[in-house]
Amino acid sequence: MVAKERLVDEKVEKIKIPEELPLLSLKNSVVFPYLATPLVVGRKKSLEAVENASKEHNIIVVVAQKEENKEIVEKGDLYEIGTACAIKQLVNVSKDEIKCVVEGISRVRIKYFTQTDPYFRVSTEVVVEPPYTEDEEMKNTNTTIRLQIEKFIQLGIPLPTAFVVAATNISRPDVQADLFASYLLSSTAQKQKILEENNIPKRLKLLTKFLGEELKKFEVQSQIRDKVQKEVGKTQREYYLRQQLKTIKKELGESDESEAITNDLRKKLGKKKMPAEARKKVEKEIKRLESIPAMSPEHSYIRTYIDWMLDVPWKEKTKDLLDIKSAKEVLDNDHYDLERVKVHILDYLAVRKLKGKTTKGPILCFVGPPGVGKTSLGQSIARATGRKFIRMSIGGIRDEAEIRGHRRTYVGALPGRIIQGLSQVKTNNPVFMLDEIDKVGADFRGDPSSALLEVLDPEQNNSFRDHYLEIPFDLSNVMFITTANILDTIHPALKDRMEVIEIPGYSSEEKLHIANKYLIPKQLKEQGIDKYDVKFSRDSISLIIEEYTRESGVRNLEREIANICKKIAREIVENKKYTKIITPKKVRKYLGVSKIQPSEIEDMNRVGVATGLAYTPVGGDILLIESTYYKGSGKMQLTGKLGDVMQESARAALSYIKSKSKELGIDEEIFNNSDIHIHVPAGAIPKDGPSAGVTMTSSLVSAFTGIPVIRDIGMTGEITLRGRVLPIGGLKEKLLAARRAELKKVIIPEKNRKDLEEVPRSILKGINLVFVNNIDEVVKNTLEKDPFNCIEAGARGPLPLITAGN
């Protein structure tokens, strides 16, 4: 219902109000006494109420509903206080709509509902206002209200002439309060509170409070409107003056700044080599730039876009160095070993030399532990091929826009980091390294790994679409190289698009070569002592490798060498006698006590103690596995922070020994009357994997038979319940650990024989390798005596308590 009030004469004829009346509910309006209000009635119940009231006494109760937008109203949805109104005019607009004018007579309170269908009828009582005296406080309140009304007029709020006249002439405070509330308050809830307040002084104070709140809102709106008008006026004035200036310069034969900018951009476009589609797009944007005022934000957005389009190397490329011999020299000078990677790059250059420019760039993935030279290898490849090098670390990025760029609709949009990198080197065929690809994240902003699928696919990246450029860009000339520490976290589809080249950790011998050839000369130069003839002895380097670093790569080794060089630099600066030959003794002096204690084998052959070989992320290590049994009920205890797979290997080893107990000469009662304990030292370090199966079996057989395990024999291999020995991984690292521990013999699975091709000969020197197919061969080679031929063991019965320390 739409309501607009007009004032009725104060001297309203005293009309007798019946006790029971029809009720009309209003959605968003409140009718006050002494005010005539036009209403539009459209709801079914409301139509019935008005029609019946007009047939009875022409008096109806008008009440506001609590929820303004509610169509179907129940008793509880209406306020208790309303206004009894006389229906002065009634016009049928249509079948479903009536227009009427009602005049407020008096405030009434609803006592109870006498009818709810087809319309509301209520029993009411007239609300009698208590008498009041116009004291000083009330006069002050009236003065405040009049000042507030003047403020409304000053703010330019449109008020009807009739309201202004009435506000000036009406003297009764109660009628004034209702009039001002009806015209000036915007909230239905506030109007209802004024209607419900019976005490005149309190009603005036409440009105003052509500008018103050309305004034605050109007003042804020007025301030905003003034600012907007001021800015618009300023902008229009600047535009007008600029147009005048432009015309004046044109008459003088001078060009304005914006015209100079567009002319400069057109010159750059004329010199730039780019595809026809990109050129057409830039020309279109330059035309748009001409038509937009320089002070407009859109001007800077378009200018930035054009600059990027002109910076992107659409056709620019460097010439590849196709000399295979010189490329090999560069790779060999920069990196020791890594033959597989070097061969791959030289093969690519050979194909490029034969085939020409149509060769697609390879997409390689270097996987290996930290510090093995993955990132520096990318720089060497760029040098060897004569290309520029870009490195982009994508570890931890979670936003797809980092790869594809932001759409131009966003403020501050930029191309993705792929296009940005190419723009920096100004060539479209660099060596582009994506570092730490295994550490890419994903969240609500998208999955960067999925965006990289297009970048790293040779069949798709010839038309890579950056969201910012909106034009396909050819990435097929780029040589992409990615690096990772592990493969497990890389997206499977992404892994499928790359040629994975594993770079294993270096052996001690290899680290020695790297230190002598690369690290020491580099650090002598960086620390400023390359002219002081400082030398490192072979033994000193070996000591740093074995006792001060434990890693697959050489990062920490280089750090320790740098620390020694810094100490020498300080001695030189302090005019002390500095060290020219770094010996093991000097290493201990400069670096302090050893940080790492090398793993050592037992000092003698012992029962129940076998030497296993383990793979670790920083290289291999030996693993002493201890077994014992004691009186109990056949339980098995495993300690040393073993993983699930390793625990299963121990159970499989015990099951195999039980099945072979007669052949091994072990009394079967031992398994039922004894508890078994297997322990792997270094209990704080988690251990897992199946390759300790043969070691656990040897340790248990030794414990049950009483035959000691030979101390300088290492072993590795997974076992099955039938006693087969299965192949293992990390063979190079495990053999490296065997060499460090000075083992003379190593037992490995027969199926790992082929993997020896990738193991340097220097590691195998002095180690006797024994290849086995089943656990029986392992036991025969690792124990002092062959338990299968030891008749005494079979005749013994239950063995005495045997511990790993005996």
Side-chain angles (χ1 to χ4, degrees), residues 338-345 362-369 372 374 377 381 481-484 487 498-504:
L338 302 180
E339 291 301 322
R340 187 181 169 192
V341 183
K342 295 175 182 177
V343 166
H344 192 96
I345 299 303
I363 297 172
L364 308 177
C365 179
F366 297 156
V367 180
V372 295
K374 300 184 294 295
L377 187 57
I381 291 170
I481 297 174
T482 64
T483 70
L487 284 171
M498 303 182 292
E499 183 172 347
V500 177
I501 298 176
E502 293 192 11
I503 303 177

Side-chain angles (χ1 to χ4, degrees), residues 27 69 141 411 437 445 483 540 589 763 801:
K27 283 185 178 180
N69 298 321
T141 306
V411 175
I437 198 170
R445 291 168 291 185
T483 70
S540 66
K589 176 188 172 185
I763 295 177
L801 177 66

Side-chain angles (χ1 to χ4, degrees), residues 455-500:
V455 175
L456 299 179
D457 190 343
E459 301 301 322
Q460 298 180 40
N461 65 9
N462 58 350
S463 57
F464 170 69
R465 276 190 178 271
D466 186 277
H467 288 159
Y468 184 78
L469 297 185
E470 300 173 344
I471 303 291
F473 187 87
D474 187 1
L475 293 175
S476 61
N477 294 317
V478 180
M479 182 186 289
F480 283 105
I481 297 174
T482 64
T483 70
N485 296 127
I486 53 173
L487 284 171
D488 299 344
T489 56
I490 301 177
H491 194 294
L494 191 58
K495 195 190 305 180
D496 184 59
R497 283 162 165 76
M498 303 182 292
E499 183 172 347
V500 177

Side-chain angles (χ1 to χ4, degrees), residues 26 88 113 185 223 240 296 300 512 542 557-558 627 629 640 723 726 735 774:
L26 299 183
K88 293 296 183 181
F113 284 76
L185 298 184
Q223 288 172 4
Y240 178 70
S296 170
S300 63
L512 197 63
S542 297
L557 175 59
E558 184 175 8
S627 300
Y629 71 94
L726 303 181
L735 290 173
N774 57 68

Side-chain angles (χ1 to χ4, degrees), residues 328-336 342 383 517-518:
K328 188 175 187 307
E329 285 178 5
V330 170
L331 293 172
D332 288 339
N333 288 336
D334 287 353
H335 287 83
Y336 178 78
K342 295 175 182 177
R383 282 186 57 220
K517 192 173 181 182
Y518 305 101

Side-chain angles (χ1 to χ4, degrees), residues 41 51 154 206 239 269 385 392 414 428 498 526 547 594 605 656 749 754 760:
V41 183
E51 286 176 2
Q154 288 172 10
L206 192 62
Y239 177 74
L269 179 62
T385 55
M392 169 181 157
L414 286 172
N428 66 6
M498 303 182 292
E526 285 194 5
E547 296 190 22
S594 301
N605 297 346
Y656 170 77
K754 63 183 185 303

